[in-house]
Amino acid sequence: SLNADVVFDVNKFSLSLFSNFPNLTAEMRDFGVFNREPFAGEYLFAADALRVEVNLKDVLFGDQLRIKGLTLVQPLINVLVLEDGRANYDIAIPSDEAVEESSEPTQFSFGIDHWQIIDGDIVYDDRSLPFKLTLKSVNHSGSGDFTQDVFDLKTKTTADTLTVAYDGVEYISNKRAMIDAIISISEDYTKYTFKENQAWVNDFALSFDGWFKMNEADYGMDISFSSPENTFKSLLSLVPGMYSESFINIKTDGELKFSGFVKGTYSDTQMPAFQVNLNVHDAMFQYPDLPTPVNN
């Protein structure tokens, strides 16, 4: 059913009741999904291990399969989109058989308690934009009850290296990144409300408020952002090459204010309104080995 090669070794599949008793743990080691033409030779996904914990009682007697835990160990995720829009994740082969719709509601439901990614690498390379995002040494954890109509999604993500490029220009180069987020999910998983969210790129911090909604033909949004307590030194940490072991010894002074919003509708014919405010006042910096600072 896939226009791709799924590679695994059946001898590296295991089941255990003892590691997370009374949950049943299934583990698959050393497996991946590899593309065919026009992406031949590229991997879409690979991982050292995938672990799934399920409640044994649900498996034997329940009408709901609740995954207690899902863990990916050292995954490699590689998303590619060509200039003409063809994407390497579009690997499902369409079925010729008509699907009969049943009027009977299903009694089976699916839930997951928590999940995590350990030391993963992620690449998103969209050449139709052209935009490229690279994350290395990603560690992520999350929890949320997807069996509920309205629930809070709690996540924490760190990346040792973040690089963002657009049209061949790197705007963020090899920076550390971290995001703590609590997002309320509602309206059949189409509306995402930011409740408690803060992100850091190196020493530069941002907080978010508002909501984002996926509609049938467009995207609605009302999001505001600001820097809660940034000094000029935190902004300086975003400059390519500036963040190094000697950065902590740089003398700085000055005030920084950063805020903005994105509000409205995004579609093929519309763009949301947006505003970005950046104010630096009475700033200076001086390297330890230089005799004079850079002022004003």
Side-chain angles (χ1 to χ4, degrees), residues 143 151-156 179-185 192-198 208 210:
S143 62
F151 64 96
D152 285 347
L153 178 68
K154 301 177 181 179
T155 67
K156 181 174 183 178
I179 300 175
D180 279 342
I182 299 178
I183 303 172
S184 176
I185 299 180
Y192 303 85
T193 303
F194 303 105
K195 299 179 71 172
E196 297 177 27
N197 304 272
Q198 195 158 10
F208 297 85

Side-chain angles (χ1 to χ4, degrees), residues 17 43 53 62 80 107 134 143 166 181 201 208 211 229 235 246 291:
L17 269 174
Y43 68 87
E53 304 167 32
L80 298 175
Q107 297 298 315
T134 303
S143 62
Y166 177 75
V201 179
F208 297 85
W211 54 268
E229 47 181 358
L235 180 66
S246 62

Side-chain angles (χ1 to χ4, degrees), residues 82-142:
L82 298 180
E83 289 86 348
D84 59 10
R86 288 181 293 173
N88 72 330
Y89 55 81
D90 187 13
I91 59 176
I93 298 177
S95 175
D96 295 331
E97 298 179 4
V99 179
E100 295 183 2
E101 294 187 2
S102 172
S103 59
E104 294 293 329
T106 177
Q107 297 298 315
F108 181 82
S109 59
F110 174 84
I112 182 170
D113 284 349
H114 61 273
W115 57 89
Q116 63 175 335
I117 295 174
I118 300 174
D119 194 21
D121 289 351
I122 302 171
V123 174
Y124 177 78
D125 185 0
D126 191 337
R127 298 169 188 173
S128 66
L129 296 178
F131 172 84
K132 187 174 183 179
L133 169 70
T134 303
L135 294 164
K136 294 184 178 180
S137 297
V138 176
N139 289 281
H140 166 84
S141 61

Side-chain angles (χ1 to χ4, degrees), residues 138-150:
V138 176
N139 289 281
H140 166 84
S141 61
S143 62
D145 190 350
F146 285 86
T147 63
Q148 301 297 314
D149 294 332
V150 179

Side-chain angles (χ1 to χ4, degrees), residues 4-16:
D5 297 309
V6 182
V7 179
F8 64 95
D9 185 346
V10 69
N11 294 319
K12 294 184 177 181
F13 176 79
S14 63
L15 289 172
S16 173

Side-chain angles (χ1 to χ4, degrees), residues 36-86:
R36 299 172 183 169
E37 293 292 350
F39 303 96
E42 298 283 353
Y43 68 87
L44 173 61
F45 173 81
D48 278 7
L50 166 65
R51 302 190 192 107
V52 181
E53 304 167 32
V54 295
N55 189 295
L56 185 60
K57 184 175 67 173
D58 291 342
V59 174
L60 297 177
F61 309 110
D63 58 4
Q64 179 188 70
L65 177 62
R66 175 172 293 278
I67 295 180
K68 303 295 290 185
L70 178 66
T71 301
L72 281 172
V73 181
Q74 292 187 329
L76 303 175
I77 301 171
N78 183 40
V79 178
L80 298 175
V81 181
L82 298 180
E83 289 86 348
D84 59 10
R86 288 181 293 173

Side-chain angles (χ1 to χ4, degrees), residues 229-286:
E229 47 181 358
N230 277 309
T231 63
F232 175 67
K233 187 173 184 178
S234 66
L235 180 66
L236 205 64
S237 75
L238 299 181
V239 178
M242 183 68 73
Y243 208 79
S244 62
E245 293 182 0
S246 62
F247 179 79
I248 59 174
N249 298 318
I250 296 177
K251 296 179 181 179
T252 68
D253 197 4
E255 298 178 359
L256 167 70
K257 294 182 180 180
F258 181 80
S259 63
F261 67 81
V262 181
K263 182 177 182 178
T265 301
Y266 175 81
S267 69
D268 292 339
T269 59
Q270 292 175 282
M271 288 286 288
F274 66 92
Q275 184 179 67
V276 178
N277 306 306
L278 174 64
N279 190 316
V280 177
H281 184 65
D282 288 339
M284 61 78 66
F285 69 92
Q286 180 181 7

